[in-house]
Each structure stands twice: as C-alpha cells, then as structure tokens.
Amino acid sequence: MNEAVTEAQSSFDGKRYVAVIFALAMGGFVIGLSEFSIMGLMPNVASDFGVTEQSVGNLISAYALGVVVGAPAFAILGGRLRRKTMLMALMSAYARRPPALE
C-alpha cells in the first residue's frame, strides 16, 4: 500500500501543484473582489438607482448574510458529493451570465 501512495505522490509534479494553487488563489481573489468592490461604489450605485446609500448598504448586508447562511448550507448539502464535482458546479453557477433584464 505504501508503494501506491509513493507512486501517486511522485506523479503529482510541481507544475500541476502551482497551477492548482494559482487557480484557487485567483478564484478566491475574484470572489473577494466581487464582494468588497461594491462598498467603494455605494454613492454611485445609490445615485444611479435613485435610492439612498443606506438602502445600498442594507442590500450589501443582506448579501453578506446570504453568504454566511449559504456557505454552511452548501457544505452540508454537498457533503455527499465529490469535492471536485461540487467545486466545478458552484464555480460554473457563479460564472454563469445572468439572464438579461427587460
């Protein structure tokens, strides 16, 4: 059994490791950027939509609350799925272009 583990570890080369870490880092950066960049744009969003900055702040807080509740819920519901399958499904859903509003 130790031979199989050693063989599997040796087949995982450094370039693939760097690519995996880079992909995870970029995913975290993009998600963090999308969550936090709106705070700097609050005055612009408020004036564009004709609402108060307080309303925009409440919307940001509601989104944050959804993340706080949703992350553990996805972890529990996706506990029986393979991690790779869950990751690809969630990243695909995140990257999907929303339908156009008419």
Side-chain angles (χ1 to χ4, degrees), residues 30-78:
V30 169
I31 290 171
L33 182 68
S34 68
E35 289 179 0
F36 295 120
S37 63
I38 192 68
M39 287 182 262
L41 300 172
M42 277 179 52
N44 297 2
V45 172
S47 67
D48 285 350
F49 286 103
V51 296
T52 65
E53 288 184 32
Q54 181 181 3
S55 298
V56 176
N58 289 339
L59 183 62
I60 293 170
S61 296
Y63 172 77
L65 183 61
V67 170
V68 167
V69 172
F74 276 120
I76 292 168
L77 295 174

Side-chain angles (χ1 to χ4, degrees), residues 10 23-24 26 28 35 48 57 59 62 64 66 71 83 89 92:
S10 65
L24 288 171
M26 289 307 298
E35 289 179 0
D48 285 350
L59 183 62
R83 288 184 178 154
S92 297

